[in-house]
Amino acid sequence: MSFRSPHKAKTPMFPFQNPLNINPILLLVILHFSPPVSAIRKDVSLQLKQYCRTTVQGRFFLTDDNGNVCDAFSVDPLSRCCPEKGDQFSCQGCNLFSQCCNSYEFCVSCCLNPAMVHENAYLSEFHHCFSMPSNYSGSSSTQLEARLAGINIITGRQGESCDSVCKSSGQSCVPNKLALLNQCEVIQKYMSCKGACLESIGADQPAEVVDDAPRHLNPGACLYTKTETMLSCDGSHRHTRRLCPCA
């Protein structure tokens, strides 16, 4: 009579592969405290890139569709955008009463400002007009425009005097025209005046306080003075940008 050898009990398989014969308890500790592996791949190729359309008329300057003006050497060769360090929606060299500019690029930049009437919008409900007699006196804005005829109204950079602003354009500041610009309705046509238009005292007015000025100086506000004897072409302030009459 033959007897079969009794089967030996099989040792249960450890549920993880253990090719290095590491102690199972030690392996469990390692797996338990190992940091999770992220399966998310940061693919830079999926990041959105900004591209700009630009004007092509000027020989030296161009304007992108963000309203920034720069020279042809400063434009980004890949995005075709101007650097954002300059003035956006600049109306430099523009007369906002006649709505005409001496530069096509700054005309486009000024027009791109959302606050401006642009594209196919009418200036008002009264857009069906008949011609006026040649001796029609017009409104106060028309009279003001006539008094500013031949004057190039330029917004200066931070800390500049009007003498410096006009000189950089090959012109001179006209001191007797400063009083015409020293009123809120005029300043607001050339500057954003995000912090309202406030009465102040200073030789740097009319002006706009820059956005990064200390809070007590009312950043973004436009300033005018009732003391017109203080108006000066050489006045400046390190936290304001002046509105200057040049010719």
Side-chain angles (χ1 to χ4, degrees):
M1 185 173 180
S2 60
F3 293 92
R4 293 184 178 179
S5 300
H7 292 285
K8 294 182 179 180
K10 295 182 178 180
T11 302
M13 295 294 292
F14 191 72
F16 301 99
Q17 293 183 358
N18 188 9
L20 300 178
N21 295 319
I22 301 175
N23 185 303
I25 296 177
L26 178 59
L27 185 58
L28 276 173
V29 172
I30 294 173
L31 291 173
H32 179 74
F33 290 101
S34 296
V37 178
S38 175
I40 300 176
R41 178 170 62 91
K42 296 181 180 180
D43 192 343
V44 295
S45 64
L46 297 179
Q47 296 178 359
L48 295 177
K49 294 183 179 180
Q50 181 184 13
Y51 296 95
C52 296
R53 293 173 296 173
T54 62
T55 58
V56 294
Q57 180 167 328
R59 295 177 57 190
F60 306 106
F61 294 98
L62 53 83
T63 305
D64 65 23
D65 52 11
N66 294 319
N68 295 307
V69 182
C70 63
D71 60 69
F73 297 103
S74 300
V75 68
D76 188 288
L78 298 179
S79 67
R80 299 298 300 165
C81 296
C82 287
E84 295 183 358
K85 62 182 179 181
D87 293 333
Q88 188 180 30
F89 309 133
S90 174
C91 296
Q92 179 175 323
C94 298
N95 185 318
L96 296 191
F97 294 103
S98 64
Q99 296 186 342
C100 296
C101 306
N102 59 13
S103 166
Y104 174 73
E105 288 72 31
F106 284 102
C107 182
V108 173
S109 176
C110 186
C111 186
L112 285 173
N113 189 334
M116 297 291 181
V117 177
H118 64 292
E119 296 177 354
N120 293 324
Y122 288 110
L123 290 173
S124 71
E125 294 180 350
F126 303 97
H127 49 260
H128 302 290
C129 306
F130 51 88
S131 60
M132 297 296 178
S134 58
N135 62 349
Y136 176 70
S137 60
S139 63
S140 59
S141 63
T142 303
Q143 296 173 356
L144 182 59
E145 179 184 349
R147 296 178 67 183
L148 289 172
I151 298 298
N152 188 15
I153 301 174
I154 302 177
T155 301
R157 296 188 181 276
Q158 181 176 346
E160 275 191 307
S161 69
C162 280
D163 281 335
S164 176
V165 172
C166 296
K167 185 177 180 179
S168 64
S169 299
Q171 298 177 314
S172 298
C173 175
V174 185
N176 63 354
K177 300 296 183 181
L178 283 168
L180 297 177
L181 305 183
N182 184 47
Q183 44 190 310
C184 286
E185 57 267 29
V186 176
I187 303 171
Q188 289 169 339
K189 290 186 177 182
Y190 291 89
M191 295 174 160
S192 59
C193 302
K194 292 177 290 187
C197 188
L198 308 174
E199 180 184 350
S200 183
I201 298 176
D204 61 310
Q205 291 147 27
E208 180 182 46
V209 184
V210 295
D211 292 336
D212 60 354
R215 183 175 297 181
H216 71 277
L217 294 179
N218 299 300
C222 288
L223 306 176
Y224 73 96
T225 180
K226 287 187 176 180
T227 311
E228 294 190 350
T229 55
M230 295 190 66
L231 296 175
S232 168
C233 285
D234 62 358
S236 64
H237 191 284
R238 63 193 181 104
H239 291 302
T240 64
R241 301 164 59 233
R242 296 201 63 182
L243 189 63
C244 303
C246 306

